[in-house]
Amino acid sequence: MMKYYNKYVSMLFAVLLVSSAWAAEVSDSLKTLNTIGQATTYVYNYPSKNAAGEDVVLSSALVAWSPEEPKETDSIETLHIYSHFTITADHECPSSELNLKERALFAVLLKDDYGLGLDPAQNFISHAVIIAPDFEGYGATSDVPHPYLAQELTARQVMDAVDYGLQLYKKHVNDKRSLPFKNNWRSFGFGFSQGGAVALAVQRYLEKQGLDELFRYRGTLCGDGPYDLIATLRNYVEDDGDNYGQQTDHRKGMNTMPMVVPMIIKGMIDTHPDMKDHQLTDYLSQQFLDTGIMEWLESKEYVINDIHEKWYEQLQEGLDAGDRQYTKEQMAELFQSPKENRVWAHLDKLFTSGFYEYMTDAANFDAVPTERGNAYQDLHRALIDNSVCTGWEPKHRIQFVHSKGDMVVPYGNYLSFRDAHPDGEGTLYRIDDSANDDHIDMGTQFFLYLTTLGNYGEYFQWLDNSEATGIKNVQRSMFNVQSGSWYDLQGRRLNGRPSRAGVYIYNGKKQIIK
């Protein structure tokens, strides 16, 4: 009886999701969600286009600095375009009332000067408006598939959110309900993981469309993003725990976050024109599909940890998939568990035998295939087409942060970008690559450092500097700053302790001299 009750509840939940999506209309004003500290969060729906070029109504959050007693001179200094990391549950999207983590993050980001008495002109994080789109497939469109890592599509939809959100915010300003933008405001993009790749795709989109000046775009902060999908999947096949000079627990043919692979392939099938005649069964084994992964992803109910727990239970007890049953021993051929409620997958059992053979043959990746109709070659080409490493020469600066110990989004993603733009390293873009954490821990570190001005604040200073300084190894300790040396926020080494009041870097940390 409980089995049928749960099925009924799931069906009812799906109907409610569809009904909610059908009811979505373009907003004519910002809707206030809440205020935490000096950050007021609004939500709104905006018009855009899907992969087929059809009209679609998407949703977004907009978070604005809103001091309780604003001064007459207070104004918005900066627009931040935030692209969120990979999520699998709808309640994790930026506009959700249940998304408390990002709400707290934004509240800290917009805290006025962090109580340090900083010059607002040099404060690139607070005194800001943050626009955080949900991405198609979440929020107002939770009934449709999320086009995972369809980069150009997502970048365009993100900028539709920014354009429309600014129009709605201007109404608030005209009604004296929100602070106006300063005359010399500027914008930045930032994100981690999927969000890092989308943030870079947004910069590429703005520059290729000639919109960077309109939006006063200054640069992008990217954390551990999948900029090269082929490099990511090939690393799963090849890395035996010793790539990039950092020892990890990864082994050849292993995937440490198995839900990422079907999300990538499904995103390509749903959005790339060469993939329309192909199915998931061309690439993913029946056993892996029988675990229920696609149903879980489609429901938008389960976070990544929930999915790992479900797989861990199957690994311990076996799997009854109706017409097919798998013993514990058979599930152990597909999965292994490094610790309780955490599951890694063997690619030779996750992939179909034909696709595994294709992915493990290095000769297949000597050149991009040109013939159409072969499932593996078409996917290969779709993955190449959704790389954000190539296709343009950046005009604005990019600050990369990438861990060499990342087993989910490997460091090779940054190397692919570097190899595509070798002349710009250290001037047009630079890398903070001294962290050795795996992906989730690196994400925690990324957002922790983002919310403490003593670490990532100077990154925005560097991005905003229109002229290349020629520095790339001067930052906090992760950039090998010389111990005992003082630097200004432009990364210039000083002769000694400065005598003038201001904010400086000492031993890799921000110091205030009064």
Side-chain angles (χ1 to χ4, degrees), residues 485-497:
S485 297
W486 289 84
Y487 297 84
D488 64 15
L489 290 182
Q490 283 72 47
R492 295 175 295 222
R493 188 181 178 189
L494 306 179
N495 291 328
R497 179 184 174 88

Side-chain angles (χ1 to χ4, degrees), residues 323-388:
D323 294 339
R324 290 175 292 276
Q325 289 81 38
Y326 303 91
T327 65
K328 291 189 295 183
E329 290 74 19
Q330 288 173 314
M331 295 307 296
E333 294 177 354
L334 172 63
F335 293 135
Q336 74 176 55
S337 177
K339 61 181 179 180
E340 186 175 0
N341 291 329
R342 195 73 191 173
V343 169
W344 296 357
H346 299 278
L347 291 179
D348 62 339
K349 296 297 181 180
L350 186 153
F351 290 151
T352 61
S353 59
F355 186 50
Y356 180 75
E357 182 178 346
Y358 183 88
M359 288 300 301
T360 53
D361 186 349
N364 290 328
F365 300 91
D366 290 339
V368 180
T370 56
E371 295 183 9
R372 266 68 174 174
N374 178 280
Y376 310 145
Q377 292 181 337
D378 287 346
L379 176 59
H380 183 166
R381 193 165 47 256
L383 296 173
I384 292 290
D385 289 347
N386 282 283
S387 165
V388 288

Side-chain angles (χ1 to χ4, degrees), residues 302-318:
Y302 305 106
V303 301
I304 289 175
N305 284 343
D306 294 335
I307 294 174
H308 272 277
E309 289 178 8
K310 287 176 176 291
W311 278 333
Y312 183 79
E313 181 179 348
Q314 293 173 356
L315 181 58
Q316 303 304 310
E317 301 179 3

Side-chain angles (χ1 to χ4, degrees), residues 111-186:
K111 187 176 179 181
D112 186 10
D113 292 337
Y114 294 79
L116 300 177
L118 300 179
D119 177 2
Q122 301 300 319
N123 190 352
F124 295 88
I125 300 181
S126 69
H127 296 190
V129 163
I130 303 170
I131 292 182
D134 290 335
F135 297 167
E136 185 179 3
Y138 296 102
T141 52
S142 58
D143 62 309
V144 304
H146 167 51
Y148 189 60
L149 297 179
Q151 305 291 27
E152 187 169 350
L153 169 66
T154 305
R156 174 171 52 78
Q157 292 176 340
V158 166
M159 288 314 302
D160 286 344
V162 173
D163 184 39
Y164 197 75
L166 290 178
Q167 294 180 47
L168 296 182
Y169 185 80
K170 185 177 180 180
K171 290 184 178 181
H172 268 234
V173 174
N174 292 340
D175 295 339
K176 310 296 184 184
R177 290 184 288 169
S178 296
L179 294 175
F181 274 73
K182 195 173 181 178
N183 288 337
N184 64 343
W185 66 274
R186 66 281 211 207

Side-chain angles (χ1 to χ4, degrees), residues 29 67 98 137 220 230 256 332 388-389 404 448 480:
S29 62
L98 300 178
T220 308
I230 289 291
T256 62
V388 288
C389 297
K404 291 184 176 180
L448 176 64
N480 301 318

